[in-house]
Every structure is written in C-alpha cells, then in structure tokens.
Amino acid sequence: MNTDDRRGLFAALRDTTFRSLRHRYYRRYFAGQVVSFVGTWMQSAALMWLMYDRTGDPRWPSWLLVAQVGPTLLFGAWGGALADRYPKRRLVSTTQSCFLLNAIVLTVVVASGLAVPWLVLVLMAVNGVVQAVDLPARLAFVPDLVPKEDLINAVGLNSLVFNSARAVGPALAGVLFLLANAVAPVLPAGTHAVTTGATACFALNALSFLAVLRALRGIPEPRANARTAGSMWDGLRYLRDRPQHGGLVALTFVVCVFAWPVVTVLPAYTRLRLGLREDAYSLLLSAMGAGALGAALATATFGSVARRGAFLLLGVGVCAAGLAGLGLADRAWAAGACCAAVGFGLILYLSTGQSVLQIAVPDEKRGRVMAWWAMTLSASTPLGHLLAGQAVTTFGVGPVLLGMGAGVGLVAVALAVLLVGLRRRDAVRVQRDDVRTAILKDRSS
C-alpha cells in the first residue's frame, strides 16, 4: 500500500468510523475510557478466577456479578433522576472516584490475605451501588459531547472502547497470571500464585481510574443542567407509552437472561469441558471481546436508522448460533470461535438498541429512560447468572449452553414478528397520510 492509499484509508476511517473524534471533548472522554475499561475488565477476569480457585464452586462467579449489577436494579431509577437533575460531568467524576477507592481497598484486602469470599462480595456490592448512579449518568452524558447527527457513531465508539477493553483486559490478566506462576518458586513460602496475579490486576485497575478522572477534569459541562422537574418513574411511563421502544427493552431483558451468563459459565467450561487452566479461560474471554469489538466497529461504521432492524436481527441470530456451537465444542479453537460469535452478536444487538433509544428520547428525560435500559440489563443479570450457575451444577455446561442458545433463538423470532408489525403499521400510516393529503387537495381545488 503506497502513501496515497494509506492517506485515503486514514481519511476514510476519520470521516466514517471515527468521525465523532472530531469533537474535542468527546475525544478526551474516549481516551480516558480506553484506559479505565481495560483496567475494569482485567479486574473482572481476575476476580472471577480468584473466587473460583478459592472456592471450587461455579456459583461464586455468578454471585459476584449479581452483587455488582444487582444494585442498579434497585437504585437505577434514582440514578437516572440524578443524571437529569445535576451536572453530568461532575456526577460521573464523583462515581469514578468512588470506583478508584473501592479498587484500592480490594487490592489491599487481597494482598493482605483477608479476601474471604463474603468480604469480596460486600466490596462488589458497594461497587454496584456506585454503578447504579454511574451508568445512567454516563449514558446520558455522551449525547452532550457530540451533535445529534454523530450520536449513533459515538454510541458505536463507546461500544468499541468497552469491547476493545473486553478483549485486552482479560488477556492482560492472563499474562499477569502466567508471570505469577513463573515467579512462584522464588516467592515467600505460602504465597499463592493466583493471589499474586489477582493482586497485580486489582492494583493496575485502581491506577486506570486516574486516566478517566484526568480526562473528565478537562471537559466543561457541555450545557447548563437545569434541575429537571418530574418523577423518577417518568422513564418507565415513556417506555409504556411507546410500545416499539418498550418492546425493544423487554426483548433485551430476555436476550441478556440467556446470553450474558456465558461469562460465568466459562470458568467451569474451561476446566471441566476443555481441561485447561486460567490462561485459556482468559483467552476465551478475549475471544468474546474480539467478537464484540468487531460488532462495535460495524455499528460505528455502518450503523444507521435504516439498518437498525437488520442489525438487531443479525445480532440475536449470530449470538444464538455462537451459544449453541459453544455447547457442542470440545476443542479450544472451536470454543474461541464460538465465544467470538457470541460477543459479536450480543454487542451488535445491544449497541444498536441503545442508540435507538438515545436518539429517540428527549434531552430532559434521557437520564431516566436510559436508567431503565440499564436496569433492564441489571435485572437480567441476577436471574440469568444465578440460574446458569445452578444449572451447570445440575446438568453440566454443555446442555446449559445449548439451552441458552435456544432461548436467544426464540427472541430472534419474536423480534422479527415485532419488526414486521412495526413496518406494517408504518405502511398503513403512510397510506392514511397520502389519502388525507389527496382529500385535502380535492377540497382545495
């Protein structure tokens, strides 16, 4: 590729996939999130393996995820109301500072040997309460940083950041675990290699929050946030009055109940089905993240209002196929390919659905509506992960993964019915408007 071709490629990427980075403050926010999310996913992967290694119980990873996201279900509507009433940048800065403090405490607790399972569970529950405010605030903050015509692209890039981190973070955790195993012979007697690797992951995650705090410090409040009147339940009323958006949120709940538990099934799958260790588990998580990264790039580059229905259907279809394939796979390379398919399909669906809501919702209600989106994701997690963890102990990982694939496949059918109904309704509305226009023309003539 010559110089002119490279310049043409870079210009095309700048003007399509990364066009939202033209906006200075969004660019700062994007850079900070890259570092912070890598640390978050590194900590998540390390924590899952640490607790499974300590307990040998496949349900513990499920309980940890429930502790982290469950509070959003309880307090998400309140968090969304805060996002509509108070300066969003200041609110996000506060929540990120709380995450930093929690990561420091977790690092000290694990390094000192005090990380009994119940204490780690409490720390993750505290993290979850902070997230109940942070997530709606961040979802409502992004549309303040870019004009509306670049919002779909910005949502896609946010998904790109999150899922790049999903690929890189667990891979870095795997590297740190390998290094911990390599230096284990020279460590003091009684030092556990898994604990050493996990402690390093938690410490680096704490440092990563400094990047996003620095980025936020350089961003002024994009607009004055007048204290919005109204109830924190206005978001639910908005979805109730708009069946197309309410139906999308309801289907998203079902997708997440069946698809997200794959994350907590993977530790047992790696050891019991593949007969491998934590480095292979990290690679499977990274494969899922790589697929999600591809979906985020597709959304950022090709996402549009006209393609939203096709992207939603493609997402759930690929996700269902990946879960079913994972249930049948017994080789690491096949499992990695299936994890990539699950990540691609799930994120293509979720990023498209999120952008549909963010574009449709008026500014003064965005925090409260997006809070219900966040609460839907959070409500699905306790149910899905707890059921999956229990089912694995009863039926084994293969049958559970096949059942998860079947559940997502049923959502694809329901979504197709919903989209066909909306298209017919829109066609009838257009015909009615045409008839009304023709009648008015006849009367005026």
Side-chain angles (χ1 to χ4, degrees):
M1 182 181 292
N2 59 40
T3 303
D4 290 340
D5 290 339
R6 285 197 295 269
R7 288 176 179 172
L9 176 61
F10 291 149
L13 290 173
R14 181 194 63 207
D15 296 337
T16 55
T17 305
F18 297 99
R19 61 183 180 273
S20 292
L21 297 182
R22 296 175 298 179
H23 308 289
R24 176 186 175 190
Y25 297 130
Y26 178 76
R27 188 165 61 246
R28 289 183 64 94
Y29 180 73
F30 180 89
Q33 293 285 77
V34 168
V35 179
S36 179
F37 279 143
V38 168
T40 297
W41 275 106
M42 183 168 54
Q43 173 172 295
S44 179
L47 189 61
M48 293 293 177
W49 190 265
L50 174 68
M51 297 311 295
Y52 182 66
D53 180 79
R54 288 281 181 90
T55 66
D57 189 340
R59 292 171 294 183
W60 262 104
S62 302
W63 292 337
L64 285 175
L65 279 178
V66 170
Q68 291 180 74
V69 302
T72 301
L73 175 61
L74 299 176
F75 306 114
W78 171 68
L82 291 180
D84 282 338
R85 292 176 184 175
Y86 295 100
K88 297 182 183 68
R89 186 199 62 80
R90 191 180 308 166
L91 199 58
V92 174
S93 295
T94 301
T95 56
Q96 294 294 309
S97 298
C98 293
F99 285 140
L100 168 61
L101 179 61
N102 188 276
I104 292 173
V105 173
L106 179 63
T107 303
V108 173
V109 165
V110 173
S112 61
L114 300 175
V116 292
W118 69 264
L119 181 56
V120 175
L121 194 67
V122 169
L123 289 174
M124 290 303 100
V126 171
N127 227 43
V129 173
V130 177
Q131 184 168 283
V133 179
D134 177 75
L135 186 52
R138 282 192 291 109
L139 290 174
F141 183 48
V142 172
D144 284 346
L145 301 178
V146 296
K148 197 161 189 175
E149 60 269 18
D150 286 335
L151 184 54
I152 289 182
N153 178 254
V155 171
L157 290 182
N158 274 359
S159 182
L160 176 66
V161 171
F162 186 79
N163 292 292
S164 297
R166 184 197 293 272
V168 175
L172 289 177
V175 170
L176 289 173
F177 277 125
L178 287 174
L179 290 175
N181 282 315
V183 302
V186 300
L187 293 175
T191 303
H192 199 286
V194 172
T195 300
T196 301
T199 301
C201 292
F202 302 153
L204 289 175
N205 178 51
L207 290 175
S208 73
F209 286 109
L210 298 177
V212 71
L213 288 171
R214 179 179 176 83
L216 288 167
R217 192 173 295 117
I219 301 174
E221 285 296 335
R223 66 168 69 96
N225 286 65
R227 295 199 175 193
T228 305
S231 167
M232 67 180 184
W233 303 105
D234 285 347
L236 182 60
R237 295 188 185 102
Y238 180 93
L239 294 173
R240 180 198 62 192
D241 295 339
R242 291 159 181 81
Q244 69 275 26
H245 297 145
L248 175 63
V249 172
L251 290 177
T252 298
F253 172 81
V254 181
V255 168
C256 292
V257 165
F258 283 102
W260 271 130
V262 71
V263 177
T264 52
V265 171
L266 282 180
Y269 179 87
T270 303
R271 180 168 285 179
L272 301 177
R273 185 69 175 265
L274 301 181
L276 300 173
R277 299 193 310 171
E278 64 267 18
D279 51 337
Y281 158 71
S282 296
L283 289 176
L284 290 182
L285 281 182
S286 293
M288 187 173 174
L293 175 60
L297 282 170
T299 303
T301 306
F302 305 110
S304 67
V305 174
R307 296 191 182 105
R308 59 188 176 182
F311 274 31
L312 290 170
L313 279 174
L314 178 63
V316 289
V318 172
C319 182
L323 287 168
L326 194 60
L328 298 172
D330 57 4
R331 295 289 186 273
W333 65 267
C338 292
C339 283
V342 172
F344 180 89
L346 186 57
I347 298 307
L348 186 66
Y349 174 86
L350 291 177
S351 60
T352 302
Q354 179 184 317
S355 64
V356 167
L357 285 181
Q358 284 182 308
I359 290 173
V361 178
D363 291 344
E364 66 274 10
K365 293 185 179 180
R366 184 176 292 119
R368 282 167 287 181
V369 173
M370 297 314 298
W372 283 95
W373 173 263
M375 290 167 66
T376 296
L377 302 183
S378 299
S380 65
T381 300
L383 179 61
H385 288 289
L386 290 176
L387 287 177
Q390 185 61 46
V392 166
T393 63
T394 304
F395 303 107
V397 290
V400 169
L401 288 167
L402 288 173
M404 291 160 62
V408 177
L410 290 175
V411 172
V413 175
L415 180 61
V417 172
L418 175 64
L419 292 173
V420 169
L422 290 175
R423 188 171 298 175
R424 288 178 177 173
R425 190 193 67 179
D426 291 342
V428 170
R429 182 180 299 167
V430 169
Q431 291 176 354
R432 189 185 300 119
D433 291 343
D434 289 342
V435 170
R436 186 179 296 125
T437 302
I439 292 173
L440 292 174
K441 285 183 177 179
D442 289 341
R443 288 177 179 176
S444 61
S445 61

